Amino acid sequence: MNKTVDVLWTGGWDSTFRVIQLLFQGIDVKPHYICDPGRASSPLEISAMNRISDSLKRNPELKGALLPLTIVEFSDFTKYNDIEKAYIDLMREHYIGEQYKWIADYCRHANLESIDISVQNNPFIRRNHSRTDYPFSVIFKGLNFPLINYSKNDMKKWCIDNGFLSIIEESWFCHSPTRSGKPCGVCSPCIVVSEEGMGYRLPTSAIIRYHLRVLPRVKSFLKNYPKFYARLYRLKSK
Ligand SMILES: [Zn+2]
């Protein structure tokens, strides 16, 4: 019987990479998704995970089994006072996102021994996640960071070498999608995608928004050409 690993799957590039990597190693994956109440992108993340799951289940290279996705609403799991207190004490030393507190709550609530969190390129987490002193021990107890020493390029190269690039590119990255469900081009993950040379993953409308944002002078220049500007503007809000 294969070993099973619990993974927090967001539908994004990094956690999708982790899911594929484990399945490739012959490990079964139990994915969990926590709906973030502050984020408009949940339906798009879930549909990306469904599409990716279909592709992964058909892939003969993957020896591990992908178990059904558990979707939990933020309001559905217990928030523990001692975890809240440890989070506040940790915050006195260094800011970390509230999601780490929720994940710690969720782990205890769902009785998970550990869960893989696909954070990369975070020096604070790299230095502190395995500390056993309070408050780190409370927040990071069940949280594994298997990709903490990976770069996006390492992951991309692995995907190209093993034939998974087209699957991982189905992952969702934008935090504030347009009404028609396309990446916005201006939120931080969209900017990261552009800056990492993966701008081809953005639709034209998002690329225009990205350039208008980072080059405000282009915008004032374009205002001298109102018809052209209006055309771009219409494209931008598609
Ligand atoms: Zn975006």
Side-chain angles (χ1 to χ4, degrees), residues 7 9-10 23-24 34 79 106 109 124 140-141 156 162 164 204 210 228:
V7 177
W9 196 10
T10 64
L23 296 173
F24 190 79
I34 301 175
K79 313 297 179 292
Y106 176 65
H109 174 92
F124 180 77
F140 294 136
K141 184 172 166 263
K156 188 174 180 184
N162 293 290
F164 293 106
T204 314
Y210 171 74
F228 184 57

Side-chain angles (χ1 to χ4, degrees), residues 40-145:
S41 48
S42 287
L44 293 156
E45 288 163 352
I46 293 170
S47 67
M49 287 185 280
N50 287 335
R51 277 198 309 277
I52 294 168
S53 298
D54 290 342
S55 306
L56 294 177
K57 282 175 186 161
R58 282 197 305 269
N59 192 303
E61 300 286 319
L62 299 174
K63 305 297 177 214
L66 181 58
L67 305 174
L69 176 66
T70 295
I71 299 175
V72 285
E73 293 289 335
F74 179 72
S75 53
D76 284 351
F77 57 92
T78 316
K79 313 297 179 292
Y80 300 92
N81 288 337
D82 62 313
I83 292 178
E84 169 84 14
K85 184 176 180 307
Y87 176 70
I88 293 167
D89 288 339
L90 205 161
M91 287 279 278
R92 284 187 227 277
E93 242 180 82
H94 193 279
Y95 172 81
I96 62 161
E98 214 181 336
Q99 69 270 24
Y100 297 105
K101 179 175 86 75
W102 305 346
I103 301 166
D105 284 325
Y106 176 65
C107 266
R108 189 184 294 175
H109 174 92
N111 205 13
L112 303 177
E113 200 172 298
S114 68
I115 191 163
D116 279 11
I117 316 294
S118 304
V119 171
Q120 47 104 219
N121 198 18
N122 182 319
F124 180 77
I125 299 284
R126 187 180 297 124
R127 279 198 311 275
N128 295 296
H129 72 92
S130 47
R131 282 174 69 167
T132 51
D133 53 326
Y134 178 88
F136 302 93
S137 54
V138 179
I139 301 297
F140 294 136
K141 184 172 166 263
L143 280 54
N144 288 335
F145 295 90

Side-chain angles (χ1 to χ4, degrees), residues 191-212:
I191 289 173
V192 168
V193 160
S194 294
E195 286 173 351
E196 284 180 342
M198 291 193 268
Y200 59 86
R201 301 182 69 205
L202 294 169
T204 314
S205 53
I207 292 169
I208 293 168
R209 272 194 300 272
Y210 171 74
H211 287 292
L212 289 181

